[in-house]
Structure formats: C-alpha cells, structure tokens
Amino acid sequence: MDLSAERRGTLPWGTLDRDTIVAAALELARTDGLDGVSIRKVADAVGSSRMALYRHVHDKQELLDLVADEISRLSADLPVDEDAPWEVRLRAIATSMRVHLKENPAFAEFIVVHSANGPGGVRMAELITRAVVATGLPPDRVAHHCLVFSDIVLGRIHRELAGDPTAAARNARLLEAAQHVPEATAVRRHDSELRQVHADAVFEAEVDMVIAAISAESARARTA
C-alpha cells in the first residue's frame, strides 16, 4: 500500500490493516527512532484515526512488538535453503540479522532486551535451532550453542550500533597515546594494522569462532 498516498487524506473505512500499520511504524522508527513511534504518529502517517489503530493494536508496546517481529521475519528470509550445510546456514542467518538490524537500528536494543516473540521471531529461532541440530550434537549442547550463537551475533550487532569497542575512531586516541609510552612497544609495532581493522572483519571473525567451536565439539562427539 502506498503510504505517501494515504498521508494525503483519511483512509476509507475497512482498508486499514496490521501490515500497513507495521510498515508505517517501521518507517517512522528508521527516521525518528523509537520515540518517533506512537499510536498518534502512526495514525497520522497512515491517514487514520487513533481509534481505528486501536482496533488492530492494543497499545504502543504491542505495536513495537509487531515491528520487531517484522524485522525478524525479514531476517529469516534467507538466500540458502535447509539442505545447505549447517555452517552455511548459520553464516547466512548471522549476515541476514546484521543487515536487517543495521537497516533498523532503533530496534537493535529493543530486540536484544525484549526479543521478537511473534511468528517472525519464532521462525528465526527455528532456523537457528535446525542448523545446530544438523551437527548431530545432543539436545543440551544444541541448546547451549543456539544461545551462544544468538548472544554473539546480536551482541556484536548491538555493539556496532551503540558503541563499538573495535571501531578505529574510538581507538585512535589510544593508539596516539601509545606513541608516547615507552613500554607500549607491541601496540606501536602494530599501530597501522590496528587502525585498519573494520567492523565487517570483526563480525565475520566472531561468527567464524562460534562455528569453529561448534564444529570442534561435533567432531569430538563423533569420535568419542
């Protein structure tokens, strides 16, 4: 539905639906952050009354939950199928989560704290779990690695958006200070390399470490 056309007037009776409401809320969040998402502002954006919105969502919390779940649904639309190797699937999941959360940074912390509990969030959890199940590990270790994977991936994305400790701009002053500290020989020796590390490389390295840990444990279990 064309939201720009809707903004020019009031929606005809019966044409408002949840998809339109969620799309408008997502657009507001991208431009104005979570503070820009309210029942009133979304109603204005779609050209409806607040009472009309309340027929589809109970309150702002439900509205935010619906948007978070839509982001998870989009993230779960992967370019690989379930016949692909589990490592390929986990990398695709991690990359997709990062792409969609960086497109919707206002919801990164929201999803880290509150999760996404609708069909989209459940679908994402199912994809992660099925990928780890394919390693052949026992149920308790599958659960362990699913949560570690989610923690590493969501935590890394959140740090990139909220304050990345590996960012070159953050570490520039530290590296400059190291030039004047005699005992900081190792830091000075690697100064140029430290300045060149970028977020993509860190993200990929952390995903690789999780996959390597799962692979190692799976290999040990097969030979035990």
Side-chain angles (χ1 to χ4, degrees):
M1 187 174 291
D2 182 359
L3 294 180
S4 61
E6 293 169 12
R7 292 192 185 98
R8 292 193 287 270
T10 302
L11 282 175
W13 176 265
T15 59
L16 185 63
D17 56 32
R18 273 195 171 188
D19 289 345
T20 300
I21 293 168
V22 169
L26 192 53
E27 185 176 330
L28 286 168
R30 285 171 178 166
T31 57
D32 302 328
L34 288 188
D35 290 340
V37 181
S38 68
I39 297 295
R40 178 185 63 78
K41 290 180 180 179
V42 173
D44 290 344
V46 300
S48 75
S49 68
R50 280 177 285 176
M51 291 308 299
L53 250 71
Y54 282 124
R55 286 193 287 271
H56 298 275
V57 295
H58 291 100
D59 52 27
K60 179 177 177 177
Q61 182 62 51
E62 184 180 16
L63 179 60
L64 296 177
D65 287 338
L66 288 170
V67 176
D69 198 63
E70 174 65 6
I71 295 169
S72 290
R73 185 191 69 78
L74 293 169
S75 300
D77 186 14
L78 301 179
V80 297
D81 59 36
E82 292 191 19
D83 293 326
W86 66 265
E87 301 97 320
V88 173
R89 282 185 273 162
L90 282 184
R91 284 196 175 90
I93 290 167
T95 300
S96 187
M97 290 169 67
R98 185 174 183 238
V99 167
H100 288 285
L101 278 176
K102 292 188 79 170
E103 287 178 352
N104 303 281
F107 275 89
E109 183 168 359
F110 182 91
I111 289 176
V112 167
V113 174
H114 299 281
S115 81
N117 302 306
V122 173
R123 172 62 177 161
M124 178 56 74
E126 181 71 10
L127 290 175
I128 294 169
T129 305
R130 288 186 184 186
V132 181
V133 164
T135 65
L137 289 169
D140 61 329
R141 300 309 296 163
V142 168
H144 171 86
H145 287 298
C146 285
L147 292 179
V148 169
F149 174 83
S150 297
D151 180 70
I152 293 294
V153 173
L154 285 173
R156 180 68 215 151
I157 296 166
H158 184 257
R159 288 190 296 276
E160 286 183 17
L161 294 170
D164 187 354
T166 71
R170 174 192 179 276
N171 292 319
R173 291 180 62 191
L174 172 65
L175 294 173
E176 180 59 31
Q179 303 304 314
H180 309 287
V181 178
E183 60 268 27
T185 55
V187 174
R188 287 200 302 275
R189 188 179 307 119
H190 295 87
D191 179 272
S192 62
E193 290 81 8
L194 287 166
R195 293 178 188 272
Q196 292 170 23
V197 175
H198 54 83
D200 291 347
V202 174
F203 178 81
E204 291 166 7
E206 293 193 4
V207 173
D208 285 345
M209 285 190 288
V210 175
I211 290 174
I214 298 173
S215 294
E217 184 170 336
S218 178
R220 289 195 299 271
R222 288 194 299 271
T223 58

